[in-house]
Amino acid sequence: MEMQGQRLVLVPCPYQGHINPMLQLGTFLHSKGFSITIVHTQFNSPSPSNHPEFTFIPIPDGLTVPLVSSGNIVAILLAINANCKSSFEQCLTTQVMEQEPEKKITCIIYDEFMYFSAAAANHLNIPSIILRTTSAANFLARSTVIELHSKGHIPFPESVSLDPVPQLHLLRFKDLPISTFDTLENFLRVVVNSHDVRRSSAIVCNTTVCLDQSSLAQIQEHCQVPIFCVGPLHKLNTAAPISSLLEEDTSCIEWLDKQSHKSVIYVSLGSVASIGEKELAEMTWGLANSKQPFLWVIRPGSINGSDWIELLPQEFREAIGERGFIVKWAPQREVLAHGAVGAFWTHCGWNSTLERISEGVPMICKPCFGDQKVHARHVSEVWRLGIELGDVFERGEIERAVRKVLVDNDGEEIRVRAKDMKEKIQVSMSSGGSTYNFLNKLVELIIRF
Ligand code: UDX
């Protein structure tokens, strides 16, 4: 094959929701004959043993312990981009000097938040491609935030939080993906830099046309480079190992095996979000009162003020008995594809959202921050594949929502639409479908470099 031996350097952003899609893209490109080198930070480094087919090269990231433990993602991203610029360029230069002529680095594919990569690639005259791990809908919303800020409309007063954002279909001001981890200025610095595509040849998005068509059309109007929608990436090679930063507890699969078809609600808030004591109490009693079986991922540290599940009331544990199963981290793809899982309570991180949509599982959305609010709104109001819970829970709201998506008649429309969307996504991935065609075009582009 023509591309045999061509080498690609991939630069993932060191968070679970970003590492997964980058390595999934790497697995696909490896299956097409490219050799793959992953250049990564020491912070949250992916595990090389899961991917013996890749070469892993760590670079110094200069992150301090206090910064990492602050959990301020915006500050961490700014520091990574400042600190890794020269270490990455040095690493690339060494790789280029040592490379065998038949194994030349053809292209650098970097996460949009690892924008330091573009300068080094340019400097060494290597073409680069950006991977966007979020939805087109969220990208469009972020662009709108930049625009509204430049016109002085952001920050916005509380009084407009429920007003619709003029340019964005069905989004309210409160749904805009503004991070509260750091100052607005620092957040915008990250966003503006990550949106700068001038030095790259193309953008690869982990989304699919059948979901994100209207947002995509608007983005394409102003975008100077081609966009390839190759998602859902996790579906390209379902046998590929996951690079989990936490250990997966597979005992939940045995528990799922004992549950009836489509009876279980799977609850997970992803790898970053956390909840307070009040929200925890509402969730516990909502789940208990719904009388439906549930599998709940409670990541250590994800309940503010406790190490793990110490704050779960004893009466709750007694009330649920065998009906509930709690784990620290689940093999999520396997869980969502399991026949017993009928619905997903999610924070609406983009990976979780795509994983669930691809399995035709309806959802309950309880977004925490950033893009999650955009996705929750799209799931409930645009794609209508689930229900979004309010900011403050009303009495009985959770149990009604759980029963609606799982069993009650008034949730039938949502369940049917979820199944239809799964089929549309399958079509997009098979021969002649949009994802299938974009993947072929991407491979052709890289070969031409
Ligand atoms: C973060 C942001 O929170 C999110 O808003 C953004 O879209 C991506 O980056 P995260 O919170 O981790 O992501 O959520 P998500 O995008 O859903 O990614 C989580 C990944 O971890 C998924 O691939 C999911 O399958 C996996 N996961 C989650 C597990 O493997 N086991 C679990 O128990 C929970």
Side-chain angles (χ1 to χ4, degrees), residues 144 176 254 290 314 351 359 387 400 438:
T144 308
L176 286 170
E254 287 150 39
S290 75
Q314 190 54 37
N351 293 284
E359 296 305 336
I387 305 170
R400 272 199 305 278
F438 273 129

Side-chain angles (χ1 to χ4, degrees), residues 210-365:
C210 59
L211 260 185
D212 248 347
Q213 196 155 27
S214 72
S215 307
L216 269 169
Q218 290 182 66
I219 295 169
Q220 260 153 346
E221 251 177 60
H222 305 285
C223 189
Q224 301 100 324
V225 295
I227 302 177
F228 299 86
C229 294
V230 298
L233 285 167
H234 73 281
K235 279 295 203 186
L236 294 185
N237 188 345
T238 42
I242 283 288
S243 199
S244 241
L245 296 170
L246 295 169
E247 198 186 329
E248 293 175 345
D249 183 343
T250 49
S251 63
C252 59
I253 301 295
E254 287 150 39
W255 178 82
L256 282 175
D257 288 341
K258 291 188 225 135
Q259 310 303 318
S260 348
H261 186 64
K262 294 220 178 295
S263 67
V264 175
I265 177 144
Y266 169 61
V267 186
S268 166
L269 302 180
S271 66
V272 188
S274 58
I275 54 169
E277 217 174 315
K278 191 161 174 294
E279 207 174 330
L280 174 75
E282 299 285 355
M283 280 177 88
T284 46
W285 291 112
L287 288 171
N289 296 342
S290 75
K291 305 274 185 273
Q292 290 298 131
F294 61 87
L295 168 59
W296 190 357
V297 177
I298 304 187
R299 214 180 63 244
S302 65
I303 299 173
N304 302 335
S306 85
D307 288 337
W308 190 36
I309 51 173
E310 303 83 80
L311 293 176
L312 278 188
Q314 190 54 37
E315 312 91 272
F316 168 73
R317 296 189 212 188
E318 282 159 17
I320 57 166
E322 296 284 293
R323 196 158 48 74
F325 200 81
I326 297 175
V327 290
K328 292 182 175 167
W329 193 249
Q332 180 160 307
R333 279 190 326 189
E334 219 180 312
V335 167
L336 289 175
H338 195 287
V341 173
F344 183 13
W345 174 324
T346 170
H347 67 311
C348 283
W350 184 237
N351 293 284
S352 296
T353 306
L354 259 187
E355 287 163 16
R356 141 194 41 89
I357 293 178
S358 317
E359 296 305 336
V361 179
M363 58 209 104
I364 295 180
C365 308

Side-chain angles (χ1 to χ4, degrees), residues 47-60:
S47 155
S49 60
N50 286 337
H51 288 277
E53 74 281 25
F54 299 163
T55 306
F56 286 82
I57 307 180
I59 50 169

